[in-house]
Amino acid sequence: MSNEVLNYDKVAEASLVKAQRDGAETMWDRRAAQKTQCGFGEAGVCCRICAMGPCRVSPVPGKGAERGICGANADTIVARNFARMVAAGTSAHSDHARDIVHALHHSKAEGPFKVRDEAKLRRIAAEWEIADADTKETYALAHELALMALEEFGKPFGTQRFLKRAPQARQDIWAREDIAPRAIDQEVTTLMHSTHMGCAADYESLFRRGMRTGMSDGWGGSMIGTEFSDILYGTPTARASSSNLGVIDAEMVNILIHGHDPNLAEMVILAAQSPEMVEMAKAKGAKGINIVGMCCTGNEMTMRHGIKIAGNFYQQEMCIITGAIEAVVVDVQCIFPALPELAKTYHTRFISTSQKAKIAGDMYIEFSEATGLDNAAEIVKLAVENFPNRDAAKVEIPDIKQDTMVGYSVETIIQHLDAVVNSQLEDGLGTVKPLTDVIYAGVIRGAAGVVGCNNPKQQHDYAHITVMEELIKRDVICVVTGCAAQAAAKAGLLTLEAKEKCGRGLFEVCERVNIPPVLHMGSCVDISRILHLVNLCADLKEIDPALLPVVGIAPEWMSEKAVAIANYVVGSGINTYLGVIPQVLGSPNFTKLMTEDVQEFIGAHFVFEKDPIVMVDKIMEDLEAKRVALGI
Ligand code: CUV
Ligand code: SF4
């Protein structure tokens, strides 16, 4: 085993030693087996889009082949590969959203899929200009709204409805630059078409089309995913939870839910709460049923129910290695295909549930909106029945867990801000005004959205935590989602006590508003919450969000979804810092377009910086320059 030092989180070391003892293979072994990664792929200059190829052009301009057989050069190949990542990422978030909307379309008062946030249902119905949004019968309205949302995926004309949430100045830029996204499926399809052999070759055009597709994720799929999940399962409110492998309980039936979509997770939670299931667990010798979460579905569950977070992306294998998980239940995205094999080393059952992500190796129980609760009950029963098969000799749960606060939706943040609205801020009630006030006053210097995955190209969680700690020290408030949020949870940054790590200004804000300096805003699709928050601030000031001292950061990203996200964040006027360099350096032209030229037409750009400390220095310069430009 190698790379112990690559793990910032102390829990990892013990886990990996145990894995070796148990004869379990982990990502570290497979990473070592990969040896040096391919330099062509790394630079983005390998093309296998057609069967004349694969072609690879020189990753270093001026050396070796400059064109593929069809004549595509590095610029074209890099741009096409990058665009395809955006298309894949957009499709993932958006297809997740579609399932949520389908569930709303299936909803009825008797449940289990039902409207749990009626106010939000009516608010969005009004926003989308449904007549009688405040008086229509709940389920008639829910079904009508769901149908409208489904049309956002395939409507033949027009752009995404949620774009109107942005200030006019930003909407004008989108119109001028032709990046206002149309139907989501159309954007993904047309980008796949553009990147087909012998289609688009102009790298700038490919980049722009990619950005528009990414925009259909952020302002389309992801935003629909977030808002409709809230309607169905409730808008998150601040609550306590706990994080890291220590939340796995040796005396309980442990069910790990991993993936993304709250539909499955919500039904499993419901099923596990039934008294018969709990009785059954007790009859098998367990104290009860302990559901723990991982990755984004973990974020969804913790925000709405306080379900404990077992860990982030990197820890999916470590969870199983504890030997105390009765069932790993997955839906879609970010699930290692290695898991079923690893589960066999222990008594753990691995259950995949989605046609879109069938993972062979153990068990498949298809989950559908029509039979969701029954499917979930079957899964829970299987886990409970598996409890007696646990091998006590193989159980070793690291005794590390950390209390955490989660659930800061935009609505919850505004509620907290309301608590400090007083006579001096008479007109700020129910708005983000107190937040913009402290930013404009310089009490806090700006805000950062820190998001994204883990990637062995960065020390596990180290980049996340370093960036966040350094920023709060410099009075920059952080909002976090995804695996970055879980890194923050494990490091204790999502606590009220974390204010001790802040600069004076942010310390005072945390104390007065009674919030942690790093706010858990949810899963990856919930980056749309961050987008909404920033746009509310910009709208209040009647300016383009590009002028605000805010940045987006993905210190350890790895997925295509992250590429889609980065595109819509930049497209929304927010500079985006990437701690892992995307596979584009083989085209200096494309790299320059991303990191410089795009600024001229969109008002924001990408920054690549592997060193988190250097990154924070660059971010501070960026934020301070924005402040100067605003005259604040
Ligand atoms: Ni959707 S995309 S590893 S779970 S944040 Fe976590 Fe978040 Fe990346 Fe996946
Ligand atoms: Fe080679 Fe062109 Fe085919 Fe790509 S599209 S594999 S560069 S011939």
Side-chain angles (χ1 to χ4, degrees):
M1 185 180 321
S2 57
N3 299 314
E4 282 88 353
V5 287
L6 279 166
N7 286 282
Y8 179 70
D9 191 330
K10 297 291 164 267
V11 104
E13 220 174 287
S15 259
L16 297 181
V17 170
K18 178 168 190 292
Q20 201 168 38
R21 198 172 65 225
D22 295 347
E25 183 193 271
T26 68
M27 63 178 288
W28 300 104
D29 302 309
R30 294 187 297 273
R31 182 171 181 270
Q34 285 289 322
K35 304 216 167 69
T36 308
Q37 286 176 311
C38 171
F40 294 94
E42 184 72 47
V45 291
C46 168
C47 182
R48 43 161 298 284
I49 276 172
C50 90
M52 293 193 284
C55 300
R56 47 188 206 184
V57 301
S58 173
V60 187
K63 273 193 192 171
E66 282 184 18
R67 289 177 183 274
I69 294 170
C70 66
N73 62 13
D75 295 339
T76 301
I77 294 174
V78 163
R80 279 196 306 222
N81 288 339
F82 187 73
R84 286 199 161 197
M85 291 186 89
V86 180
T90 300
S91 72
H93 283 147
S94 303
D95 210 32
H96 156 165
R98 192 189 333 248
D99 285 347
I100 302 294
V101 181
H102 268 292
L104 185 66
H105 200 257
H106 267 83
S107 67
K108 46 182 188 285
E110 316 81 73
F113 296 103
K114 62 179 173 202
V115 172
R116 291 178 175 82
D117 188 340
E118 182 159 342
K120 186 163 222 169
L121 166 72
R122 297 196 183 279
R123 222 159 50 235
I124 293 177
E127 187 179 339
W128 284 10
E129 294 168 351
I130 294 184
D132 309 321
D134 45 353
T135 51
K136 216 169 239 173
E137 191 273 322
T138 309
Y139 286 88
L141 186 63
H143 299 157
E144 186 177 344
L145 187 69
L147 210 55
M148 274 173 98
L150 289 171
E151 279 163 4
E152 291 300 286
F153 291 84
K155 62 188 181 187
F157 306 107
T159 53
Q160 289 296 305
R161 291 177 183 276
F162 278 135
L163 294 177
K164 293 213 177 75
R165 288 183 167 185
Q168 195 57 46
R170 185 56 20 196
Q171 292 188 47
D172 292 345
I173 292 172
W174 293 336
R176 186 188 74 207
E177 301 301 333
D178 195 17
I179 60 159
R182 303 157 301 169
I184 301 157
D185 291 350
Q186 181 183 6
E187 294 300 355
V188 172
T189 302
T190 195
L191 193 58
M192 292 307 285
H193 175 190
S194 280
T195 53
H196 185 276
M197 189 274 154
C199 215
D202 180 81
Y203 70 91
E204 185 181 326
S205 163
L206 278 160
F207 175 75
R208 285 169 175 265
R209 297 176 70 82
M211 182 166 278
R212 186 171 62 194
T213 304
M215 291 284 292
S216 79
D217 174 353
W219 293 89
S222 281
M223 207 167 269
I224 293 172
T226 294
E227 298 290 35
F228 284 69
S229 294
D230 285 357
I231 294 173
L232 271 173
Y233 302 117
T235 301
T237 52
R239 65 187 68 230
S241 184
S242 182
S243 62
N244 221 336
L245 295 186
V247 305
I248 297 168
D249 190 328
E251 298 183 328
M252 311 260 268
V253 172
N254 292 301
I255 303 178
L256 171 69
I257 310 185
H258 174 18
H260 279 79
D261 181 331
N263 284 344
L264 168 73
E266 290 282 342
M267 292 306 119
V268 174
I269 292 170
L270 262 181
Q273 279 166 350
S274 92
E276 306 92 87
M277 283 299 178
V278 178
E279 273 320 303
M280 201 198 299
K282 288 188 177 153
K284 296 280 178 198
K287 280 199 171 152
I289 302 171
N290 183 37
I291 295 180
V292 298
M294 164 144 292
C295 278
C296 279
T297 207
N299 284 323
E300 300 275 357
M301 295 190 293
T302 200
M303 288 198 297
R304 297 198 179 88
H305 303 281
I307 296 277
K308 293 168 186 154
I309 304 164
N312 51 2
F313 182 63
Y314 252 14
Q315 286 167 294
Q316 51 187 291
E317 292 181 323
M318 295 177 197
C319 276
I320 297 178
I321 291 165
T322 62
I325 302 282
E326 274 54 61
V328 179
V329 190
V330 304
D331 51 26
V332 291
Q333 305 167 20
C334 302
I335 302 143
F336 282 3
L339 296 191
E341 210 38 52
L342 178 63
K344 281 185 196 149
T345 309
Y346 305 91
H347 73 303
T348 307
R349 297 304 303 266
F350 178 87
I351 306 165
S352 58
T353 61
S354 169
Q355 243 183 37
K356 296 170 198 168
K358 188 164 183 178
I359 301 174
D362 189 3
M363 209 181 179
Y364 178 68
I365 298 176
E366 190 160 307
F367 179 90
S368 81
E369 288 92 16
T371 55
L373 194 54
D374 297 336
N375 306 140
E378 189 184 346
I379 288 165
V380 174
K381 190 158 169 250
L382 213 107
V384 169
E385 281 169 350
N386 195 24
F387 184 77
N389 298 329
R390 200 191 273 181
D391 177 356
K394 276 192 174 172
V395 174
E396 190 180 302
I397 303 169
D399 186 23
I400 301 182
K401 58 180 165 189
Q402 167 66 49
D403 288 339
T404 186
M405 290 291 294
V406 298
Y408 292 92
S409 57
V410 173
E411 291 84 344
T412 297
I413 290 174
I414 289 177
Q415 248 172 37
H416 275 75
L417 294 173
D418 276 353
V420 295
V421 174
N422 56 26
S423 48
Q424 283 112 38
L425 299 163
E426 67 286 327
D427 60 346
L429 208 64
T431 74
V432 292
K433 186 166 183 294
L435 178 61
T436 51
D437 283 347
V438 288
I439 293 176
Y440 270 60
V443 179
I444 58 182
R445 307 307 295 173
V450 190
V451 306
C453 330
N454 295 125
N455 185 323
K457 289 178 181 169
Q458 285 282 6
Q459 185 182 352
H460 181 202
D461 287 352
Y462 169 76
H464 286 311
I465 300 311
T466 306
V467 163
M468 292 178 212
E469 285 188 338
E470 292 300 319
L471 285 174
I472 61 174
K473 209 189 279 174
R474 290 165 172 77
D475 290 321
V476 175
I477 191 166
C478 294
V479 289
V480 294
T481 63
C483 290
Q486 295 169 334
K490 290 183 286 165
L493 295 178
L494 308 183
T495 58
L496 297 176
E497 296 73 49
K499 64 174 180 263
E500 304 298 339
K501 297 188 171 186
C502 298
R504 239 194 107 108
L506 183 54
F507 176 93
E508 264 163 36
V509 170
C510 291
E511 193 153 72
R512 284 201 58 198
V513 188
N514 196 31
I515 49 168
V518 180
L519 296 173
H520 182 291
M521 287 189 79
S523 63
C524 296
V525 294
D526 292 335
I527 293 170
S528 67
R529 296 189 202 275
I530 302 179
L531 214 51
H532 194 192
L533 185 65
V534 171
N535 279 275
L536 287 172
C537 293
D539 212 29
L540 196 85
K541 292 288 176 188
E542 295 177 2
I543 57 170
D544 177 10
L547 301 177
L548 287 173
V550 298
V551 294
I553 315 170
E556 306 182 20
W557 72 276
M558 63 85 204
S559 81
E560 290 166 319
K561 292 176 285 174
V563 180
I565 293 165
N567 270 276
Y568 75 68
V569 175
V570 171
S572 301
I574 300 166
N575 289 339
T576 298
Y577 291 73
L578 303 178
V580 173
I581 318 268
Q583 292 145 348
V584 299
L585 296 186
S587 165
N589 285 330
F590 193 77
T591 304
K592 182 166 171 291
L593 174 60
M594 286 179 75
T595 55
E596 295 174 32
D597 304 346
V598 59
Q599 178 73 37
E600 282 158 37
F601 54 94
I602 297 295
H605 60 277
F606 296 82
V607 179
F608 306 157
E609 180 50 65
K610 287 192 233 177
D611 183 328
I613 302 273
V614 177
M615 184 192 272
V616 169
D617 288 342
K618 289 183 180 173
I619 290 168
M620 292 314 296
E621 237 174 79
D622 183 347
L623 296 176
E624 293 301 333
K626 291 261 164 95
R627 301 190 66 89
V628 170
L630 269 179
I632 57 174

